Amino acid sequence: FYDSLLLFPKAPSRDQMYGNAVHHTLKDFFNALSRRDPLPDKLFLAEKLQVYLKKEPLTEKDFLESLERGKKTLLAYQDYWDGRWQLPIKTEFNIPGVIIGENIRLTGKLDKIEFLESGVNVVDYKTSQPKTRGEIEGKTKNSDGNLKRQLIFYKLLLDCFENGRYQMISGEIDFIHPDDKGRFRKEKFIITKEEIAELESLIK
């Protein structure tokens, strides 16, 4: 009630501040990659991460730990996916408001939109530990399906935005941190009409 409806301000956690810095760093990285002049390198990632972490109200200890963790992760992430980036893209795509039902206004910001031949793929970054496909969908004992539901929500937003200007054909969870074996993972989903209808009914 206080957080979502009254919108009382509160201090972000260290993990939230770290996640914000990583998201902003990736936005700048992919924007630079799109321009290709010059191509961003590992130094670019490290410098951007440091800039954005400095903007967060972290203690010196938390800042240094977050910087070390983030540099190690982002440089390994860049190494792993280098040469396999999907272009063209839009980053931090803001949807200021679409209306469903009787004046229900929905808003959202998408981390990245990748333009494909037949439509778009929406990418959502996660700085949490990688999860299995079943966990994302809420099919395991300790999961609630909120990650998959977030992709469904993005599909609902885009379907209602500018008369469906961007046809979302898939949604993807991109885990920025590797799993225990050092592997980076992405999980892609095709959103069905039934899932959209169920979420829209739930919102109403």
Side-chain angles (χ1 to χ4, degrees):
F1 176 78
Y2 287 104
D3 293 344
S4 301
L5 296 182
L6 296 187
L7 301 179
F8 276 25
K10 65 177 180 179
S13 68
R14 184 179 74 165
D15 285 343
Q16 288 174 322
M17 290 187 279
Y18 171 78
N20 287 339
V22 169
H23 274 68
H24 288 307
T25 299
L26 289 173
K27 177 196 70 174
D28 287 357
F29 174 80
F30 283 112
N31 284 344
L33 191 68
S34 272
R35 293 192 298 268
R36 296 178 179 272
D37 186 26
L39 287 174
D41 55 14
K42 292 182 177 181
L43 181 60
F44 179 97
L45 280 169
E47 289 179 342
K48 287 293 184 179
L49 178 65
Q50 184 166 343
V51 167
Y52 286 117
L53 282 173
K54 283 184 176 179
K55 293 182 179 182
E56 300 290 344
L58 291 158
T59 65
E60 183 177 357
K61 178 175 180 291
D62 286 344
F63 169 80
L64 293 174
E65 288 179 354
S66 297
L67 180 61
E68 182 180 358
R69 176 190 179 201
K71 284 172 64 175
K72 180 180 178 181
T73 296
L74 287 174
L75 299 189
Y77 175 87
Q78 197 267 354
D79 266 343
Y80 191 88
W81 295 113
D82 190 34
R84 292 182 281 172
W85 310 116
Q86 175 67 47
L87 297 171
I89 59 167
K90 282 183 181 289
T91 62
E92 295 289 321
F93 185 70
N94 186 47
I95 298 179
V98 299
I99 303 297
I100 66 169
E102 296 182 5
N103 297 320
I104 300 173
R105 183 171 177 266
L106 306 179
T107 67
K109 181 176 287 186
L110 285 58
D111 288 340
K112 185 171 65 172
I113 294 179
E114 298 176 340
F115 291 89
L116 313 175
E117 289 185 4
S118 54
V120 301
N121 176 55
V122 173
V123 178
D124 191 63
Y125 307 130
K126 295 299 177 189
T127 52
S128 59
Q129 280 299 108
K131 293 177 173 55
T132 66
R133 196 171 181 87
E135 287 176 306
I136 294 170
E137 293 179 294
K139 293 181 178 179
T140 61
K141 182 179 180 181
N142 298 317
S143 62
D144 54 20
N146 279 342
L147 291 182
K148 173 73 177 292
R149 194 171 294 111
Q150 190 172 358
L151 296 179
I152 300 170
F153 181 76
Y154 290 152
K155 168 71 171 166
L156 177 59
L157 279 177
L158 285 178
D159 283 352
C160 299
F161 179 69
E162 295 186 357
N163 296 317
R165 176 183 176 186
Y166 299 106
Q167 184 62 41
M168 177 177 164
I169 59 173
S170 58
E172 187 173 64
I173 302 293
D174 186 356
F175 293 102
I176 306 304
H177 284 265
D179 61 20
D180 294 338
K181 296 182 179 180
R183 298 171 301 190
F184 288 88
R185 292 177 47 204
K186 299 180 181 183
E187 293 290 348
K188 184 178 289 189
F189 297 89
I190 305 299
I191 310 302
T192 67
K193 292 181 179 179
E194 291 75 19
E195 288 172 323
I196 291 290
E198 181 182 356
L199 179 58
E200 187 170 352
S201 175
L202 178 63
I203 292 170
K204 291 176 179 178

